[in-house]
Amino acid sequence: QVQLQESGPGLVKPSQTLSLTCTVSGGSITTSYYAWSWIRQPPGKGLEWMGVITYDGSTYYSPDLKSRTSISRDTSKNQFSLQLNSVTPEDTAVYYCARGVVVAFRHWAYDYWGQGTQVTVSS
């Protein structure tokens, strides 16, 4: 059974960098052909896909967030991380990490999710 757990600060000040880590257990983040994503849900809104790091370390980002987003991984710890720069209150959301299975070129279906972590951007 794959399990994902998000961790990181729940409060970030405007203009600072939001940093979250997802720890994966029950499966390796380097196993072909899985991909590992960050997805968020602002209050009262739908899910927003932010980006992904694949089993071989390739990264893809939402065009809307690409200039501010970075996803990396630590294979020795079986973790992957999110950095979102220059945050504003509009980045307030519940942030989820999830495992994706490829269904088409650069398209994934998500089968395992973390429980989500609330991040609030406020001074």
Side-chain angles (χ1 to χ4, degrees), residues 54-106:
T54 65
Y55 69 97
D56 62 354
S58 299
T59 53
Y60 303 96
Y61 300 107
S62 163
D64 292 341
L65 297 170
K66 185 175 182 179
S67 64
R68 299 196 291 131
T69 306
S70 178
I71 297 175
S72 60
R73 66 180 185 173
D74 185 337
T75 57
S76 68
K77 296 181 179 178
N78 214 36
Q79 295 175 333
F80 63 104
S81 298
L82 169 73
Q83 284 199 319
L84 182 65
N85 301 323
S86 305
V87 297
T88 72
E90 286 66 41
D91 293 309
T92 294
V94 177
Y95 286 75
Y96 299 92
C97 57
R99 187 184 81 167
V101 180
V102 65
V103 295
F105 181 64
R106 296 188 186 178

